[in-house]
Amino acid sequence: MTVTGIALIPPRGRGDVDVAGYLPFVVQLETPEPPPNRGLPRRWPTPTFDDGPHLSYAIQWFSFALIALVGTAVLIRKGR
């Protein structure tokens, strides 16, 4: 089977599949989809469109900022 495509360095953090530790490159196909169940090449999993860790990181850092503001206000009041 002949496959035509572009060799790319695999991106990191694509859901539960991390091929970057195993393969030096991935091939982005330019030819039509290969026949199913013939081994390689396999289709790259589609990315998930969710918040990921960003929402929890945002909550964490806004909490740190709020703690710093409240803590500073308490220390200033105690110093008076």
Side-chain angles (χ1 to χ4, degrees), residues 36-59:
N37 300 324
R38 303 242 6 235
L40 295 175
R42 290 187 296 253
R43 181 169 275 297
W44 191 262
T46 57
T48 58
F49 295 105
D50 60 357
D51 289 334
H54 303 294
L55 180 61
S56 60
Y57 288 149
I59 292 170

Side-chain angles (χ1 to χ4, degrees), residues 61-77:
W61 285 104
F62 279 109
S63 298
F64 290 158
L66 183 63
I67 290 168
L69 290 173
V70 170
T72 301
V74 168
L75 288 175
I76 288 173
R77 285 189 84 174

